[in-house]
Amino acid sequence: MMQLKTMNLKSISIFLILGLGPIFSSAQKNKIDGVAVVVGKNVVLDSDIEKFKKELETQSEGKIKVSDCEMLEQLMERKLLAHHAVVDSVTVSKAEVDDRVTRTIAFFTREYGDQQKAVEAYGFNDIEDLKKELERVQKEELLIEKEQEKITGDIDLTPEEVRLYFNGLKEKNELPEFPAEVELAQIVLKAEPTEEENKRIIAKLNEIKKDVEENDASFKLKAIVNSNDPSVARNGGNLGTINKDTQFIKEFKEVAFSLDEGQISEPFKTIFGYHIILLHKIKGKGREVSHIVMAPEISDQKLSDAKEKLEKIRKDIIAGDITFEKAVNEFSQDADTKNSGGLILNPYTGESTFDLTRMDPALYGRINELQKGGFSEVFYDETRGGEKMYKLLYMRNRTNTHTAELVNDYVKIQKLALLKKKEETIAKWTKDKISETYVKIGSDHKKCSFKSNWKKDNQ
């Protein structure tokens, strides 16, 4: 059961932050689902139990199995925290909720390709309908997190407590196995278009703009013929109505919101190339827009030059003529990693380590055979915006799959021990608060045996 304890409230919290399936049941929207339990003024529906249970099992790749009763108790604990956050006057700002909603929609957009597909996948009418539901969910999530922090924020561990926790796991033969992890750094050289090519693209967009403005040419037809946007065949360059929260890049929105109705922008640059925007209509805080984007072509010679230069840098590093860190500082063109010695951060955790077993297959194939201090071959890469580049990867550190060791894995063990202590504190808090909170358990779930006295011995 140790795995279940370390996955309970925290795991569900992660699912909610990411905006995964269970938070959007059609039953929740249509209010036709059975009520499993009421905690304070908060409700757990019958469908919530099954959906969260399946999601937990999916996320753990089947390693964690929970019963309906176990899952119900975890959901009740969350509702209890949310209820007492309100009782304790915990505040959640609109800015905090909006930030979570924006990040969740960005996650959806990456997963489904665009916002509309995400809206359709979850059965909502439009993006505003989805946002309203996300606001409700994320507000409750923030209340729960802040109440947990209020309860456990002052908890700390001494080195002796960490040692006792480790020895306890060792005696019970329950030491965790940590997966292989790597730290990677990179040097990036981009293949840039010539200035003449940039000027050619700008001139072409100005020509299109003039033809539409002066000769009443069809912007839609011009987009279909000229735009590099892969969605142009489907939408003719029309992006629908966008607002300032829409997940478009900053430069695009700044131009779109500076236009008057019927106006076409001057050509401007983003990571995707050069654009012009036509503003069809102002709709309250929204703008209905179409655009044409054209990416400058990069010659084979430019690509070859970038590759040859990076291969020479690789040879010089291996020969000891220059350090990797100095090469990053002098040559790398990646803004995100240049100032950190090339160190690549895991986009999902924000940490410098990557779990080798959960790495992108293409990246895994390039570094799996490398040991600490090793270098990949120079390879070609391309961003979703069409930027073309060559990369060199450096294995800064590597630990293989192993059973936990107190010295080498102290930080990880400390985190596990702290999590356990916090869970024990919340469990005690839960036991105390149940007695003073209204709890009504549906008849279908009264047969459950709970760790805490949710039935209050009289239901």
Side-chain angles (χ1 to χ4, degrees), residues 204-205 208 212 217-239 276 278 280 290-294:
K204 178 64 177 177
L205 287 171
I208 293 171
V212 174
S218 168
F219 191 93
K220 178 178 180 179
L221 183 58
K222 294 288 187 181
I224 292 172
V225 172
N226 295 283
S227 186
N228 295 136
D229 186 338
S231 69
V232 70
R234 171 171 51 86
N235 61 24
N238 192 311
L239 301 175
I276 53 173
L278 167 61
H280 295 288
S290 289
H291 84 133
I292 296 171
V293 58
M294 297 180 68

Side-chain angles (χ1 to χ4, degrees), residues 391-408:
K391 292 182 176 181
L392 170 66
L393 297 177
Y394 170 55
M395 182 70 74
R396 280 184 38 151
N397 198 13
R398 175 171 184 154
T399 57
N400 293 318
T401 302
H402 63 284
T403 300
E405 302 168 358
L406 183 57
V407 175
N408 295 332

Side-chain angles (χ1 to χ4, degrees), residues 90-128:
V90 170
T91 58
V92 172
S93 70
K94 185 177 184 300
E96 290 175 303
V97 175
D98 289 346
D99 178 63
R100 287 286 183 88
V101 170
T102 298
R103 286 192 286 130
T104 306
I105 291 176
F107 173 81
F108 283 156
T109 303
R110 290 195 301 271
E111 291 295 299
Y112 289 94
D114 61 48
Q115 285 185 359
Q116 188 55 38
K117 288 181 181 178
V119 169
E120 293 169 359
Y122 288 105
F124 287 90
N125 297 323
D126 52 40
I127 189 66
E128 293 305 319

Side-chain angles (χ1 to χ4, degrees), residues 196-224:
E196 290 75 13
E197 174 63 7
N198 287 333
K199 289 178 180 178
R200 183 187 73 82
I201 293 296
I202 293 171
K204 178 64 177 177
L205 287 171
N206 277 322
E207 178 187 320
I208 293 171
K209 171 180 162 69
K210 183 178 179 181
D211 200 18
V212 174
E213 290 175 336
E214 297 183 3
N215 303 319
D216 202 26
S218 168
F219 191 93
K220 178 178 180 179
L221 183 58
K222 294 288 187 181
I224 292 172

Side-chain angles (χ1 to χ4, degrees), residues 438-450:
Y438 173 76
V439 179
K440 181 173 177 60
I441 299 173
S443 57
D444 290 345
H445 302 286
K446 287 185 177 180
K447 64 182 182 298
C448 288
S449 296
F450 299 120

Side-chain angles (χ1 to χ4, degrees), residues 19-208:
L20 298 175
I23 64 174
F24 298 130
S25 65
S26 59
Q28 282 176 300
K29 295 177 66 184
N30 296 327
K31 307 298 183 185
I32 60 174
D33 204 352
V35 175
V37 68
V38 179
V39 180
K41 294 182 179 180
N42 299 316
V43 175
V44 176
L45 300 173
D46 286 330
S47 65
D48 294 335
I49 300 169
E50 184 62 25
K51 289 177 179 294
F52 273 108
K53 186 176 74 167
K54 286 182 179 178
E55 192 63 43
L56 181 60
E57 291 173 354
T58 298
Q59 292 297 313
S60 68
E61 299 177 345
K63 295 176 182 176
I64 297 177
K65 297 288 185 181
V66 295
S67 67
D68 286 357
C69 292
E70 287 174 310
M71 182 51 65
L72 175 59
E73 183 159 23
Q74 292 187 38
L75 291 171
M76 287 193 293
E77 289 171 0
R78 289 180 59 76
K79 297 300 182 183
L80 187 70
L81 285 160
H83 171 74
H84 281 280
V86 175
V87 172
D88 294 341
S89 299
V90 170
T91 58
V92 172
S93 70
K94 185 177 184 300
E96 290 175 303
V97 175
D98 289 346
D99 178 63
R100 287 286 183 88
V101 170
T102 298
R103 286 192 286 130
T104 306
I105 291 176
F107 173 81
F108 283 156
T109 303
R110 290 195 301 271
E111 291 295 299
Y112 289 94
D114 61 48
Q115 285 185 359
Q116 188 55 38
K117 288 181 181 178
V119 169
E120 293 169 359
Y122 288 105
F124 287 90
N125 297 323
D126 52 40
I127 189 66
E128 293 305 319
D129 194 16
L130 173 58
K131 282 182 179 179
K132 286 179 183 177
E133 181 65 5
L134 276 171
E135 286 169 3
R136 180 191 67 78
V137 170
Q138 297 293 13
K139 183 176 181 180
E140 181 179 81
E141 180 62 26
L142 282 161
L143 284 171
I144 291 169
E145 288 179 12
K146 290 189 175 188
E147 186 69 5
Q148 285 178 315
E149 179 62 24
K150 181 175 177 291
I151 299 163
T152 65
D154 295 332
I155 293 176
D156 204 352
L157 286 175
T158 65
E160 178 63 14
E161 286 178 298
V162 176
R163 187 184 67 80
L164 289 173
Y165 172 76
F166 176 83
N167 289 338
L169 294 179
K170 188 174 182 180
E171 289 172 7
K172 293 183 287 187
N173 199 29
E174 291 182 352
L175 286 174
E177 186 175 80
F178 293 131
E181 289 185 331
V182 297
E183 273 191 349
L184 299 171
Q186 66 179 1
I187 297 175
V188 177
L189 293 188
K190 298 178 181 179
E192 303 282 2
T194 63
E195 189 58 33
E196 290 75 13
E197 174 63 7
N198 287 333
K199 289 178 180 178
R200 183 187 73 82
I201 293 296
I202 293 171
K204 178 64 177 177
L205 287 171
N206 277 322
E207 178 187 320
I208 293 171

